[in-house]
PDB file of all heavy atoms in Angstrom:
ATOM      1  N   GLY A 340      22.509-105.272-215.759  1.00  0.00           N
ATOM      2  CA  GLY A 340      21.670-104.099-215.600  1.00  0.00           C
ATOM      3  C   GLY A 340      22.438-103.008-214.888  1.00  0.00           C
ATOM      4  O   GLY A 340      23.658-103.076-214.736  1.00  0.00           O
ATOM      5  N   PRO A 341      21.719-102.023-214.430  1.00  0.00           N
ATOM      6  CA  PRO A 341      22.377-100.931-213.709  1.00  0.00           C
ATOM      7  C   PRO A 341      22.999-101.446-212.411  1.00  0.00           C
ATOM      8  O   PRO A 341      22.508-102.386-211.795  1.00  0.00           O
ATOM      9  CB  PRO A 341      21.240 -99.945-213.425  1.00  0.00           C
ATOM     10  CG  PRO A 341      19.993-100.745-213.542  1.00  0.00           C
ATOM     11  CD  PRO A 341      20.281-101.858-214.502  1.00  0.00           C
ATOM     12  N   LYS A 342      24.081-100.833-212.029  1.00  0.00           N
ATOM     13  CA  LYS A 342      24.761-101.189-210.781  1.00  0.00           C
ATOM     14  C   LYS A 342      24.078-100.468-209.623  1.00  0.00           C
ATOM     15  O   LYS A 342      23.712 -99.304-209.741  1.00  0.00           O
ATOM     16  CB  LYS A 342      26.230-100.762-210.836  1.00  0.00           C
ATOM     17  CG  LYS A 342      27.008-101.422-211.941  1.00  0.00           C
ATOM     18  CD  LYS A 342      27.705-102.635-211.424  1.00  0.00           C
ATOM     19  CE  LYS A 342      28.626-103.156-212.511  1.00  0.00           C
ATOM     20  NZ  LYS A 342      28.669-104.562-212.578  1.00  0.00           N
ATOM     21  N   PRO A 343      23.933-101.151-208.485  1.00  0.00           N
ATOM     22  CA  PRO A 343      23.323-100.482-207.335  1.00  0.00           C
ATOM     23  C   PRO A 343      24.238 -99.400-206.774  1.00  0.00           C
ATOM     24  O   PRO A 343      25.460 -99.524-206.798  1.00  0.00           O
ATOM     25  CB  PRO A 343      23.117-101.612-206.328  1.00  0.00           C
ATOM     26  CG  PRO A 343      24.048-102.689-206.741  1.00  0.00           C
ATOM     27  CD  PRO A 343      24.254-102.542-208.220  1.00  0.00           C
ATOM     28  N   GLU A 344      23.622 -98.339-206.298  1.00  0.00           N
ATOM     29  CA  GLU A 344      24.355 -97.231-205.690  1.00  0.00           C
ATOM     30  C   GLU A 344      24.580 -97.517-204.205  1.00  0.00           C
ATOM     31  O   GLU A 344      23.802 -98.222-203.572  1.00  0.00           O
ATOM     32  CB  GLU A 344      23.560 -95.926-205.826  1.00  0.00           C
ATOM     33  CG  GLU A 344      23.312 -95.489-207.244  1.00  0.00           C
ATOM     34  CD  GLU A 344      24.557 -95.000-207.955  1.00  0.00           C
ATOM     35  OE1 GLU A 344      25.561 -94.703-207.278  1.00  0.00           O
ATOM     36  OE2 GLU A 344      24.522 -94.911-209.185  1.00  0.00           O
ATOM     37  N   THR A 345      25.634 -96.964-203.652  1.00  0.00           N
ATOM     38  CA  THR A 345      25.892 -97.053-202.221  1.00  0.00           C
ATOM     39  C   THR A 345      25.156 -95.923-201.525  1.00  0.00           C
ATOM     40  O   THR A 345      25.285 -94.759-201.895  1.00  0.00           O
ATOM     41  CB  THR A 345      27.409 -96.958-201.934  1.00  0.00           C
ATOM     42  OG1 THR A 345      28.059 -98.042-202.598  1.00  0.00           O
ATOM     43  CG2 THR A 345      27.676 -97.037-200.441  1.00  0.00           C
ATOM     44  N   VAL A 346      24.381 -96.274-200.533  1.00  0.00           N
ATOM     45  CA  VAL A 346      23.567 -95.317-199.793  1.00  0.00           C
ATOM     46  C   VAL A 346      24.279 -94.952-198.493  1.00  0.00           C
ATOM     47  O   VAL A 346      24.833 -95.816-197.820  1.00  0.00           O
ATOM     48  CB  VAL A 346      22.185 -95.915-199.468  1.00  0.00           C
ATOM     49  CG1 VAL A 346      21.344 -94.959-198.641  1.00  0.00           C
ATOM     50  CG2 VAL A 346      21.461 -96.303-200.748  1.00  0.00           C
ATOM     51  N   SER A 347      24.257 -93.670-198.152  1.00  0.00           N
ATOM     52  CA  SER A 347      24.770 -93.242-196.853  1.00  0.00           C
ATOM     53  C   SER A 347      23.668 -92.476-196.128  1.00  0.00           C
ATOM     54  O   SER A 347      22.820 -91.845-196.756  1.00  0.00           O
ATOM     55  CB  SER A 347      26.026 -92.384-196.997  1.00  0.00           C
ATOM     56  OG  SER A 347      25.733 -91.194-197.669  1.00  0.00           O
ATOM     57  N   VAL A 348      23.704 -92.566-194.809  1.00  0.00           N
ATOM     58  CA  VAL A 348      22.681 -91.932-193.980  1.00  0.00           C
ATOM     59  C   VAL A 348      23.368 -91.194-192.839  1.00  0.00           C
ATOM     60  O   VAL A 348      24.262 -91.735-192.194  1.00  0.00           O
ATOM     61  CB  VAL A 348      21.695 -92.977-193.410  1.00  0.00           C
ATOM     62  CG1 VAL A 348      20.731 -92.343-192.423  1.00  0.00           C
ATOM     63  CG2 VAL A 348      20.932 -93.645-194.541  1.00  0.00           C
ATOM     64  N   SER A 349      22.949 -89.962-192.621  1.00  0.00           N
ATOM     65  CA  SER A 349      23.435 -89.206-191.466  1.00  0.00           C
ATOM     66  C   SER A 349      22.238 -88.585-190.766  1.00  0.00           C
ATOM     67  O   SER A 349      21.220 -88.298-191.387  1.00  0.00           O
ATOM     68  CB  SER A 349      24.437 -88.134-191.890  1.00  0.00           C
ATOM     69  OG  SER A 349      23.803 -87.193-192.729  1.00  0.00           O
ATOM     70  N   CYS A 350      22.371 -88.397-189.467  1.00  0.00           N
ATOM     71  CA  CYS A 350      21.276 -87.857-188.673  1.00  0.00           C
ATOM     72  C   CYS A 350      21.758 -86.676-187.842  1.00  0.00           C
ATOM     73  O   CYS A 350      22.910 -86.639-187.402  1.00  0.00           O
ATOM     74  CB  CYS A 350      20.719 -88.926-187.740  1.00  0.00           C
ATOM     75  SG  CYS A 350      20.019 -90.340-188.596  1.00  0.00           S
ATOM     76  N   THR A 351      20.867 -85.721-187.655  1.00  0.00           N
ATOM     77  CA  THR A 351      21.113 -84.569-186.793  1.00  0.00           C
ATOM     78  C   THR A 351      19.832 -84.285-186.020  1.00  0.00           C
ATOM     79  O   THR A 351      18.779 -84.850-186.323  1.00  0.00           O
ATOM     80  CB  THR A 351      21.525 -83.316-187.600  1.00  0.00           C
ATOM     81  OG1 THR A 351      20.494 -83.019-188.552  1.00  0.00           O
ATOM     82  CG2 THR A 351      22.850 -83.509-188.317  1.00  0.00           C
ATOM     83  N   GLN A 352      19.934 -83.388-185.050  1.00  0.00           N
ATOM     84  CA  GLN A 352      18.765 -83.037-184.246  1.00  0.00           C
ATOM     85  C   GLN A 352      18.733 -81.544-184.008  1.00  0.00           C
ATOM     86  O   GLN A 352      19.766 -80.921-183.781  1.00  0.00           O
ATOM     87  CB  GLN A 352      18.814 -83.779-182.904  1.00  0.00           C
ATOM     88  CG  GLN A 352      17.598 -83.552-182.034  1.00  0.00           C
ATOM     89  CD  GLN A 352      17.632 -84.374-180.758  1.00  0.00           C
ATOM     90  OE1 GLN A 352      18.615 -85.022-180.443  1.00  0.00           O
ATOM     91  NE2 GLN A 352      16.539 -84.344-180.024  1.00  0.00           N
ATOM     92  N   ASP A 353      17.533 -80.992-184.075  1.00  0.00           N
ATOM     93  CA  ASP A 353      17.302 -79.593-183.722  1.00  0.00           C
ATOM     94  C   ASP A 353      16.127 -79.591-182.746  1.00  0.00           C
ATOM     95  O   ASP A 353      14.971 -79.561-183.156  1.00  0.00           O
ATOM     96  CB  ASP A 353      16.982 -78.766-184.965  1.00  0.00           C
ATOM     97  CG  ASP A 353      16.728 -77.305-184.653  1.00  0.00           C
ATOM     98  OD1 ASP A 353      17.045 -76.867-183.523  1.00  0.00           O
ATOM     99  OD2 ASP A 353      16.202 -76.605-185.529  1.00  0.00           O
ATOM    100  N   ARG A 354      16.443 -79.702-181.495  1.00  0.00           N
ATOM    101  CA  ARG A 354      15.466 -79.817-180.408  1.00  0.00           C
ATOM    102  C   ARG A 354      14.478 -80.932-180.685  1.00  0.00           C
ATOM    103  O   ARG A 354      14.835 -82.085-180.565  1.00  0.00           O
ATOM    104  CB  ARG A 354      14.781 -78.484-180.164  1.00  0.00           C
ATOM    105  CG  ARG A 354      15.778 -77.435-179.650  1.00  0.00           C
ATOM    106  CD  ARG A 354      15.090 -76.256-179.099  1.00  0.00           C
ATOM    107  NE  ARG A 354      14.412 -76.628-177.872  1.00  0.00           N
ATOM    108  CZ  ARG A 354      14.382 -75.888-176.804  1.00  0.00           C
ATOM    109  NH1 ARG A 354      14.979 -74.734-176.791  1.00  0.00           N
ATOM    110  NH2 ARG A 354      13.745 -76.277-175.725  1.00  0.00           N
ATOM    111  N   TYR A 355      13.229 -80.614-181.062  1.00  0.00           N
ATOM    112  CA  TYR A 355      12.188 -81.618-181.194  1.00  0.00           C
ATOM    113  C   TYR A 355      12.154 -82.288-182.562  1.00  0.00           C
ATOM    114  O   TYR A 355      11.271 -83.081-182.829  1.00  0.00           O
ATOM    115  CB  TYR A 355      10.826 -80.988-180.890  1.00  0.00           C
ATOM    116  CG  TYR A 355      10.781 -80.394-179.514  1.00  0.00           C
ATOM    117  CD1 TYR A 355      10.894 -79.020-179.331  1.00  0.00           C
ATOM    118  CD2 TYR A 355      10.654 -81.198-178.395  1.00  0.00           C
ATOM    119  CE1 TYR A 355      10.865 -78.466-178.059  1.00  0.00           C
ATOM    120  CE2 TYR A 355      10.627 -80.648-177.120  1.00  0.00           C
ATOM    121  CZ  TYR A 355      10.733 -79.290-176.963  1.00  0.00           C
ATOM    122  OH  TYR A 355      10.714 -78.750-175.694  1.00  0.00           O
ATOM    123  N   TRP A 356      13.082 -81.959-183.414  1.00  0.00           N
ATOM    124  CA  TRP A 356      13.124 -82.527-184.756  1.00  0.00           C
ATOM    125  C   TRP A 356      14.380 -83.378-184.927  1.00  0.00           C
ATOM    126  O   TRP A 356      15.467 -82.961-184.551  1.00  0.00           O
ATOM    127  CB  TRP A 356      13.157 -81.423-185.812  1.00  0.00           C
ATOM    128  CG  TRP A 356      11.930 -80.582-185.822  1.00  0.00           C
ATOM    129  CD1 TRP A 356      11.771 -79.371-185.223  1.00  0.00           C
ATOM    130  CD2 TRP A 356      10.692 -80.878-186.447  1.00  0.00           C
ATOM    131  NE1 TRP A 356      10.506 -78.893-185.444  1.00  0.00           N
ATOM    132  CE2 TRP A 356       9.819 -79.796-186.192  1.00  0.00           C
ATOM    133  CE3 TRP A 356      10.231 -81.940-187.212  1.00  0.00           C
ATOM    134  CZ2 TRP A 356       8.519 -79.769-186.666  1.00  0.00           C
ATOM    135  CZ3 TRP A 356       8.937 -81.905-187.680  1.00  0.00           C
ATOM    136  CH2 TRP A 356       8.093 -80.831-187.408  1.00  0.00           C
ATOM    137  N   LEU A 357      14.192 -84.545-185.526  1.00  0.00           N
ATOM    138  CA  LEU A 357      15.328 -85.339-185.991  1.00  0.00           C
ATOM    139  C   LEU A 357      15.359 -85.205-187.507  1.00  0.00           C
ATOM    140  O   LEU A 357      14.310 -85.211-188.162  1.00  0.00           O
ATOM    141  CB  LEU A 357      15.171 -86.814-185.631  1.00  0.00           C
ATOM    142  CG  LEU A 357      15.255 -87.202-184.168  1.00  0.00           C
ATOM    143  CD1 LEU A 357      15.139 -88.713-184.019  1.00  0.00           C
ATOM    144  CD2 LEU A 357      16.539 -86.717-183.531  1.00  0.00           C
ATOM    145  N   PHE A 358      16.550 -85.084-188.052  1.00  0.00           N
ATOM    146  CA  PHE A 358      16.725 -85.004-189.495  1.00  0.00           C
ATOM    147  C   PHE A 358      17.561 -86.183-189.939  1.00  0.00           C
ATOM    148  O   PHE A 358      18.649 -86.420-189.403  1.00  0.00           O
ATOM    149  CB  PHE A 358      17.423 -83.700-189.892  1.00  0.00           C
ATOM    150  CG  PHE A 358      16.627 -82.475-189.552  1.00  0.00           C
ATOM    151  CD1 PHE A 358      16.835 -81.808-188.364  1.00  0.00           C
ATOM    152  CD2 PHE A 358      15.653 -82.016-190.419  1.00  0.00           C
ATOM    153  CE1 PHE A 358      16.098 -80.690-188.034  1.00  0.00           C
ATOM    154  CE2 PHE A 358      14.899 -80.893-190.102  1.00  0.00           C
ATOM    155  CZ  PHE A 358      15.127 -80.227-188.909  1.00  0.00           C
ATOM    156  N   MET A 359      17.034 -86.931-190.895  1.00  0.00           N
ATOM    157  CA  MET A 359      17.764 -88.054-191.469  1.00  0.00           C
ATOM    158  C   MET A 359      18.029 -87.727-192.930  1.00  0.00           C
ATOM    159  O   MET A 359      17.081 -87.530-193.707  1.00  0.00           O
ATOM    160  CB  MET A 359      16.964 -89.348-191.351  1.00  0.00           C
ATOM    161  CG  MET A 359      17.680 -90.554-191.936  1.00  0.00           C
ATOM    162  SD  MET A 359      16.833 -92.134-191.615  1.00  0.00           S
ATOM    163  CE  MET A 359      15.275 -91.871-192.459  1.00  0.00           C
ATOM    164  N   GLU A 360      19.293 -87.633-193.293  1.00  0.00           N
ATOM    165  CA  GLU A 360      19.650 -87.353-194.678  1.00  0.00           C
ATOM    166  C   GLU A 360      20.111 -88.645-195.336  1.00  0.00           C
ATOM    167  O   GLU A 360      21.032 -89.301-194.856  1.00  0.00           O
ATOM    168  CB  GLU A 360      20.745 -86.301-194.759  1.00  0.00           C
ATOM    169  CG  GLU A 360      21.023 -85.887-196.188  1.00  0.00           C
ATOM    170  CD  GLU A 360      21.853 -84.629-196.296  1.00  0.00           C
ATOM    171  OE1 GLU A 360      22.340 -84.120-195.279  1.00  0.00           O
ATOM    172  OE2 GLU A 360      21.997 -84.152-197.425  1.00  0.00           O
ATOM    173  N   ILE A 361      19.445 -88.999-196.418  1.00  0.00           N
ATOM    174  CA  ILE A 361      19.769 -90.188-197.193  1.00  0.00           C
ATOM    175  C   ILE A 361      20.412 -89.715-198.487  1.00  0.00           C
ATOM    176  O   ILE A 361      19.822 -88.903-199.210  1.00  0.00           O
ATOM    177  CB  ILE A 361      18.514 -91.034-197.484  1.00  0.00           C
ATOM    178  CG1 ILE A 361      17.858 -91.464-196.160  1.00  0.00           C
ATOM    179  CG2 ILE A 361      18.860 -92.243-198.338  1.00  0.00           C
ATOM    180  CD1 ILE A 361      16.549 -92.182-196.319  1.00  0.00           C
ATOM    181  N   SER A 362      21.618 -90.220-198.771  1.00  0.00           N
ATOM    182  CA  SER A 362      22.382 -89.729-199.921  1.00  0.00           C
ATOM    183  C   SER A 362      22.935 -90.869-200.751  1.00  0.00           C
ATOM    184  O   SER A 362      23.309 -91.917-200.228  1.00  0.00           O
ATOM    185  CB  SER A 362      23.560 -88.871-199.451  1.00  0.00           C
ATOM    186  OG  SER A 362      23.127 -87.796-198.664  1.00  0.00           O
ATOM    187  N   VAL A 363      22.978 -90.625-202.038  1.00  0.00           N
ATOM    188  CA  VAL A 363      23.709 -91.443-203.003  1.00  0.00           C
ATOM    189  C   VAL A 363      24.405 -90.458-203.927  1.00  0.00           C
ATOM    190  O   VAL A 363      24.169 -89.252-203.849  1.00  0.00           O
ATOM    191  CB  VAL A 363      22.788 -92.394-203.807  1.00  0.00           C
ATOM    192  CG1 VAL A 363      22.111 -93.410-202.899  1.00  0.00           C
ATOM    193  CG2 VAL A 363      21.753 -91.631-204.592  1.00  0.00           C
ATOM    194  N   VAL A 364      25.240 -90.952-204.799  1.00  0.00           N
ATOM    195  CA  VAL A 364      25.951 -90.064-205.713  1.00  0.00           C
ATOM    196  C   VAL A 364      24.944 -89.236-206.509  1.00  0.00           C
ATOM    197  O   VAL A 364      24.083 -89.773-207.198  1.00  0.00           O
ATOM    198  CB  VAL A 364      26.850 -90.871-206.677  1.00  0.00           C
ATOM    199  CG1 VAL A 364      27.486 -89.971-207.711  1.00  0.00           C
ATOM    200  CG2 VAL A 364      27.912 -91.615-205.890  1.00  0.00           C
ATOM    201  N   GLY A 365      25.013 -87.918-206.366  1.00  0.00           N
ATOM    202  CA  GLY A 365      24.175 -87.019-207.149  1.00  0.00           C
ATOM    203  C   GLY A 365      22.770 -86.798-206.634  1.00  0.00           C
ATOM    204  O   GLY A 365      22.037 -85.991-207.186  1.00  0.00           O
ATOM    205  N   GLN A 366      22.350 -87.521-205.590  1.00  0.00           N
ATOM    206  CA  GLN A 366      21.004 -87.360-205.054  1.00  0.00           C
ATOM    207  C   GLN A 366      21.059 -87.371-203.534  1.00  0.00           C
ATOM    208  O   GLN A 366      21.823 -88.122-202.935  1.00  0.00           O
ATOM    209  CB  GLN A 366      20.076 -88.489-205.513  1.00  0.00           C
ATOM    210  CG  GLN A 366      19.838 -88.540-207.001  1.00  0.00           C
ATOM    211  CD  GLN A 366      18.879 -89.673-207.343  1.00  0.00           C
ATOM    212  OE1 GLN A 366      17.720 -89.657-206.907  1.00  0.00           O
ATOM    213  NE2 GLN A 366      19.354 -90.646-208.083  1.00  0.00           N
ATOM    214  N   SER A 367      20.211 -86.549-202.927  1.00  0.00           N
ATOM    215  CA  SER A 367      20.156 -86.499-201.475  1.00  0.00           C
ATOM    216  C   SER A 367      18.788 -85.980-201.063  1.00  0.00           C
ATOM    217  O   SER A 367      18.200 -85.143-201.742  1.00  0.00           O
ATOM    218  CB  SER A 367      21.264 -85.574-200.944  1.00  0.00           C
ATOM    219  OG  SER A 367      21.234 -85.513-199.564  1.00  0.00           O
ATOM    220  N   VAL A 368      18.291 -86.479-199.953  1.00  0.00           N
ATOM    221  CA  VAL A 368      17.028 -85.992-199.421  1.00  0.00           C
ATOM    222  C   VAL A 368      17.140 -85.938-197.901  1.00  0.00           C
ATOM    223  O   VAL A 368      17.700 -86.841-197.280  1.00  0.00           O
ATOM    224  CB  VAL A 368      15.828 -86.853-199.864  1.00  0.00           C
ATOM    225  CG1 VAL A 368      15.951 -88.279-199.387  1.00  0.00           C
ATOM    226  CG2 VAL A 368      14.506 -86.256-199.393  1.00  0.00           C
ATOM    227  N   LYS A 369      16.638 -84.858-197.322  1.00  0.00           N
ATOM    228  CA  LYS A 369      16.614 -84.717-195.869  1.00  0.00           C
ATOM    229  C   LYS A 369      15.171 -84.897-195.413  1.00  0.00           C
ATOM    230  O   LYS A 369      14.266 -84.203-195.876  1.00  0.00           O
ATOM    231  CB  LYS A 369      17.141 -83.349-195.440  1.00  0.00           C
ATOM    232  CG  LYS A 369      17.321 -83.236-193.930  1.00  0.00           C
ATOM    233  CD  LYS A 369      17.920 -81.910-193.521  1.00  0.00           C
ATOM    234  CE  LYS A 369      19.424 -82.008-193.610  1.00  0.00           C
ATOM    235  NZ  LYS A 369      20.105 -80.874-192.968  1.00  0.00           N
ATOM    236  N   ILE A 370      14.986 -85.832-194.497  1.00  0.00           N
ATOM    237  CA  ILE A 370      13.663 -86.132-193.958  1.00  0.00           C
ATOM    238  C   ILE A 370      13.585 -85.559-192.552  1.00  0.00           C
ATOM    239  O   ILE A 370      14.434 -85.845-191.711  1.00  0.00           O
ATOM    240  CB  ILE A 370      13.419 -87.653-193.944  1.00  0.00           C
ATOM    241  CG1 ILE A 370      13.474 -88.202-195.370  1.00  0.00           C
ATOM    242  CG2 ILE A 370      12.091 -87.972-193.273  1.00  0.00           C
ATOM    243  CD1 ILE A 370      13.482 -89.710-195.454  1.00  0.00           C
ATOM    244  N   ARG A 371      12.563 -84.752-192.329  1.00  0.00           N
ATOM    245  CA  ARG A 371      12.343 -84.137-191.023  1.00  0.00           C
ATOM    246  C   ARG A 371      11.366 -85.020-190.244  1.00  0.00           C
ATOM    247  O   ARG A 371      10.241 -85.244-190.674  1.00  0.00           O
ATOM    248  CB  ARG A 371      11.779 -82.734-191.204  1.00  0.00           C
ATOM    249  CG  ARG A 371      11.618 -81.963-189.926  1.00  0.00           C
ATOM    250  CD  ARG A 371      11.136 -80.577-190.185  1.00  0.00           C
ATOM    251  NE  ARG A 371       9.797 -80.623-190.763  1.00  0.00           N
ATOM    252  CZ  ARG A 371       9.173 -79.576-191.274  1.00  0.00           C
ATOM    253  NH1 ARG A 371       9.762 -78.407-191.308  1.00  0.00           N
ATOM    254  NH2 ARG A 371       7.967 -79.689-191.771  1.00  0.00           N
ATOM    255  N   MET A 372      11.819 -85.515-189.098  1.00  0.00           N
ATOM    256  CA  MET A 372      11.001 -86.430-188.311  1.00  0.00           C
ATOM    257  C   MET A 372      10.549 -85.732-187.035  1.00  0.00           C
ATOM    258  O   MET A 372      11.363 -85.192-186.296  1.00  0.00           O
ATOM    259  CB  MET A 372      11.785 -87.698-187.989  1.00  0.00           C
ATOM    260  CG  MET A 372      12.169 -88.467-189.249  1.00  0.00           C
ATOM    261  SD  MET A 372      12.907 -90.075-188.953  1.00  0.00           S
ATOM    262  CE  MET A 372      14.519 -89.612-188.335  1.00  0.00           C
ATOM    263  N   SER A 373       9.245 -85.758-186.804  1.00  0.00           N
ATOM    264  CA  SER A 373       8.620 -85.078-185.669  1.00  0.00           C
ATOM    265  C   SER A 373       8.502 -86.008-184.478  1.00  0.00           C
ATOM    266  O   SER A 373       8.176 -87.185-184.630  1.00  0.00           O
ATOM    267  CB  SER A 373       7.229 -84.617-186.101  1.00  0.00           C
ATOM    268  OG  SER A 373       6.426 -84.324-184.993  1.00  0.00           O
ATOM    269  N   ASP A 374       8.703 -85.458-183.287  1.00  0.00           N
ATOM    270  CA  ASP A 374       8.499 -86.261-182.082  1.00  0.00           C
ATOM    271  C   ASP A 374       7.013 -86.494-181.825  1.00  0.00           C
ATOM    272  O   ASP A 374       6.637 -87.440-181.152  1.00  0.00           O
ATOM    273  CB  ASP A 374       9.174 -85.620-180.865  1.00  0.00           C
ATOM    274  CG  ASP A 374       8.541 -84.306-180.446  1.00  0.00           C
ATOM    275  OD1 ASP A 374       8.094 -83.550-181.328  1.00  0.00           O
ATOM    276  OD2 ASP A 374       8.507 -84.031-179.235  1.00  0.00           O
ATOM    277  N   VAL A 375       6.149 -85.662-182.382  1.00  0.00           N
ATOM    278  CA  VAL A 375       4.707 -85.819-182.215  1.00  0.00           C
ATOM    279  C   VAL A 375       4.180 -86.950-183.100  1.00  0.00           C
ATOM    280  O   VAL A 375       3.381 -87.778-182.667  1.00  0.00           O
ATOM    281  CB  VAL A 375       3.962 -84.501-182.532  1.00  0.00           C
ATOM    282  CG1 VAL A 375       2.459 -84.700-182.469  1.00  0.00           C
ATOM    283  CG2 VAL A 375       4.407 -83.410-181.564  1.00  0.00           C
ATOM    284  N   TYR A 376       4.626 -86.997-184.356  1.00  0.00           N
ATOM    285  CA  TYR A 376       4.226 -88.047-185.298  1.00  0.00           C
ATOM    286  C   TYR A 376       5.438 -88.935-185.551  1.00  0.00           C
ATOM    287  O   TYR A 376       5.971 -88.978-186.657  1.00  0.00           O
ATOM    288  CB  TYR A 376       3.709 -87.445-186.603  1.00  0.00           C
ATOM    289  CG  TYR A 376       2.522 -86.541-186.400  1.00  0.00           C
ATOM    290  CD1 TYR A 376       2.624 -85.169-186.639  1.00  0.00           C
ATOM    291  CD2 TYR A 376       1.305 -87.047-185.958  1.00  0.00           C
ATOM    292  CE1 TYR A 376       1.534 -84.336-186.455  1.00  0.00           C
ATOM    293  CE2 TYR A 376       0.222 -86.205-185.764  1.00  0.00           C
ATOM    294  CZ  TYR A 376       0.337 -84.856-186.023  1.00  0.00           C
ATOM    295  OH  TYR A 376      -0.734 -84.036-185.831  1.00  0.00           O
TER     296      TYR A 376
END
């Protein structure tokens, strides 16, 4: 079947927000994480 992709994750912070970026070849999404929720 299809071969699994290698996932990479990087994190950054902008004061009260943490950002987690999840990436694979050709696709990426940045998730904004709140300290409140």
